[in-house]
Amino acid sequence: MSLSVSRGEIFGFLGPNGAGKSTSIKMLLGLVSPSGGEAYVLGAPAGDVKIRRKVGFLPEDFRFYQWLTATELLEFHGRLCGMDAGRLRERVPYLVDLVGLAPHRGKRLQSFSKGMLQRIGLAQALVHDPEVIFLDEPTSGLDPMGRRLVRDIIRAQRDRGATVFLNSHILSEIEITCDQVAFIRDGEVVTTRDLRRWHEEKVRVRVRARKLSPQIVAGLAQWATCNPVDGESLTLTAASREALPEILGYLVQSGSAPFEFTPQRISLEDLFMEIVGEDRGL
Amino acid sequence: MRPLWVVASITFREAARKKILWTALIVGVGFLIVFAAGLYYQMADFRTSGVPPFLRYQILSAMLMVGLYTVDLLAVVMTILTSVDTISGEIASGTIQAIATKPIARWHVLIGKWAGFVAMLAIYVAGMFGGTLAVGYWLGGVALQNPLRGGLLVYLECLVALTATFLMGTWFSTLTNGVIVLGLHGLAFLGGWLEQMSGFAQGSGLVTLGVVSSLIMPTEAVWRRAAFLIQPPLAGALQFTPFANISVPSGAMVGYSGFYLLALLAAAIYHFQRRDL
């Protein structure tokens, strides 16, 4: 696996179950020893104790001392990060409020729902204002409001200059949150995509026309790849959005009598299926 | 030192919040009440039966030794039961992941938790051992010799059991860990008694078996050394008591136990530092 993440971006890590996403994060954090190779976080070897002062982590299936209150949990983790009492007094209420748990700050975690644990887990990862934040499935237990909140927090972290390494199965979340994604399969990076630009790369168009003859469809090959014609319908994938006026002009001039020409967004899920492939079973 | 203190204090707090401390305290107080009642009734019997003062003292000493032996057994079992889930449970649940990725060395986590238990055990052993001695002195007028050295040896025994539990916790699941450490203490218990029996039978095979058992797990040997130090010399010389000075572990065995404890701790740190979490 070869991968690099630039500072100040939200990086999404995608892949099917068992692809090695969580294991990769654990290796970067020093929880799991790699069988070989090298990895660096902020220029230091993966797992370096000093550099962890600048790293935050929300594990998948966040588990914690259930007998602590939300405030006590953040204070404990802040102290582990070397924060003094004065800084904790400011930081902890701010974070509890940030993740929407202010009314529950004094409650023990054993009374928290999965979503609330997820939120306090995120606060725990941010307690020391880290430069790099690893989030393993941060929205898996959240309702839509919670997801939006987490998304906003992640973006705010990016905007203050932090790097966010996001591991999630929820592709729609990745799509609207991440700047860049890597697709992995069987422990290898298949490809990386810049989501800030990938919509410019390919565009799918749904065409409906009265006379879609084989000759007319063959003529589209210079701009796009076409699925088989289904009656009056055709779906084509153009190499870029720039080619769309020319394609439409061609369809009109060739006498196909088009009455619908709808560019469609290629979802990350489509891209995921295209790159990673169908489920081959476990 | 700060991370050690943070982890140690959270371990202490966990025991208090999960009511482990209070349960142990209630059980301890319950034991002391029963023991005190036993001594009280024994004293009442003495007043009506006319047992000579010399024999009374020996009987009361023996009762006190039995009480202290019970304290010793309780302390070791409590040590194992309360600490068995500390490392293995947090590894299995994944709780350790958010802690071990903080800017602290892994050995800070292990030693911090260990130190928390070391402090709790000091309070427990002092309370139970001291409480039993105080009850014996207050109700029976029995003052055993070398109480501080005896108490420290019982404490050492608990620390050996604690450290063995921590080491096994870095390797095995909670249940397996408990089975192994309790099994080891059972082996030490059996070995100690076999060695004691060898004094009657003069069997070198039994002695060897007992010594080997004590080398594998020296907890019981440390207690037998403590019993030798604290009980009255005459009671020790009487071969019908369970704590007779028949085959007394030497001071070297205490030294070995200290070394054994440090070796287990070093092995626990070594393995915890290297294992995947």
Side-chain angles (χ1 to χ4, degrees), chain B:
Chain B
M1 289 305 284
R2 188 185 145 99
L4 283 180
W5 170 248
V6 173
V7 178
S9 60
I10 200 85
T11 306
F12 206 98
R13 214 156 142 194
E14 181 175 17
R17 284 274 175 91
K18 285 178 152 181
K19 302 183 178 67
I20 295 170
L21 268 184
W22 313 122
T23 309
L25 189 69
I26 290 167
V27 170
V29 169
F31 163 80
L32 289 176
I33 289 172
V34 172
F35 181 65
L39 273 184
Y40 174 81
Y41 288 121
Q42 183 67 73
M43 292 300 288
D45 285 350
F46 284 158
R47 278 192 288 274
T48 56
S49 61
V51 177
F54 168 74
L55 194 53
R56 278 188 195 185
Y57 194 82
Q58 298 311 318
I59 292 171
L60 291 171
S61 297
M63 279 185 76
L64 188 51
M65 286 305 294
V66 170
L68 291 175
Y69 192 40
T70 311
V71 165
D72 175 77
L73 196 68
L74 260 179
V76 172
V77 172
M78 287 276 192
T79 301
I80 296 169
L81 291 183
T82 52
S83 64
V84 70
D85 192 43
T86 299
I87 297 293
S88 52
E90 291 195 9
I91 292 173
S93 68
T95 305
I96 202 85
Q97 289 181 9
I99 296 170
T101 48
K102 292 291 182 290
I104 56 172
R106 280 200 196 175
W107 70 267
H108 282 145
V109 179
L110 188 121
I111 294 294
K113 286 177 175 293
W114 185 81
F117 275 97
V118 165
M120 282 187 278
L121 286 173
I123 296 169
Y124 186 77
V125 171
M128 291 292 284
F129 197 84
T132 307
L133 287 178
V135 166
Y137 183 73
W138 175 51
L139 288 176
V142 181
L144 296 181
Q145 52 181 358
N146 303 312
L148 184 62
R149 286 169 72 188
L152 285 175
L153 283 176
V154 171
Y155 185 46
L156 172 65
E157 187 185 352
C158 291
L159 295 188
V160 169
L162 173 73
T163 314
T165 311
F166 265 64
L167 171 62
M168 295 304 164
T170 68
W171 283 94
F172 302 105
S173 69
T174 298
L175 196 59
T176 311
N177 182 12
V179 169
I180 291 173
V181 182
L182 280 172
L184 281 174
H185 185 59
L187 176 75
F189 187 84
L190 180 68
W193 280 97
L194 288 179
E195 213 181 335
Q196 187 83 338
M197 294 300 154
S198 72
F200 298 113
Q202 302 298 318
S204 62
L206 281 180
V207 173
T208 306
L209 199 59
V211 169
V212 169
S213 302
S214 297
L215 289 175
I216 293 171
M217 185 66 167
T219 43
E220 183 70 10
V222 174
W223 158 254
R224 286 190 296 120
R225 179 73 191 169
F228 166 71
L229 288 173
I230 56 183
Q231 71 183 337
L234 184 62
L238 296 172
Q239 297 214 337
F240 56 83
T241 81
F243 315 112
N245 303 336
I246 296 168
S247 176
V248 180
S250 64
M253 180 51 91
V254 176
Y256 170 78
S257 301
F259 171 77
Y260 181 90
L261 185 157
L262 293 176
L264 291 189
L265 195 58
I269 290 170
Y270 181 83
H271 187 242
F272 190 61
Q273 290 269 102
R274 277 157 185 76
R275 68 157 291 162
D276 290 344
L277 295 176

Side-chain angles (χ1 to χ4, degrees), chain A residues 10 94 98 133 149-162 164:
Chain A
I10 304 174
Y94 165 75
L98 181 72
I133 305 155
L149 180 87
V150 169
R151 202 160 58 225
D152 291 345
I153 291 171
I154 290 172
R155 284 178 180 151
Q157 293 301 313
R158 187 256 320 269
D159 293 345
R160 74 167 176 86
V164 181

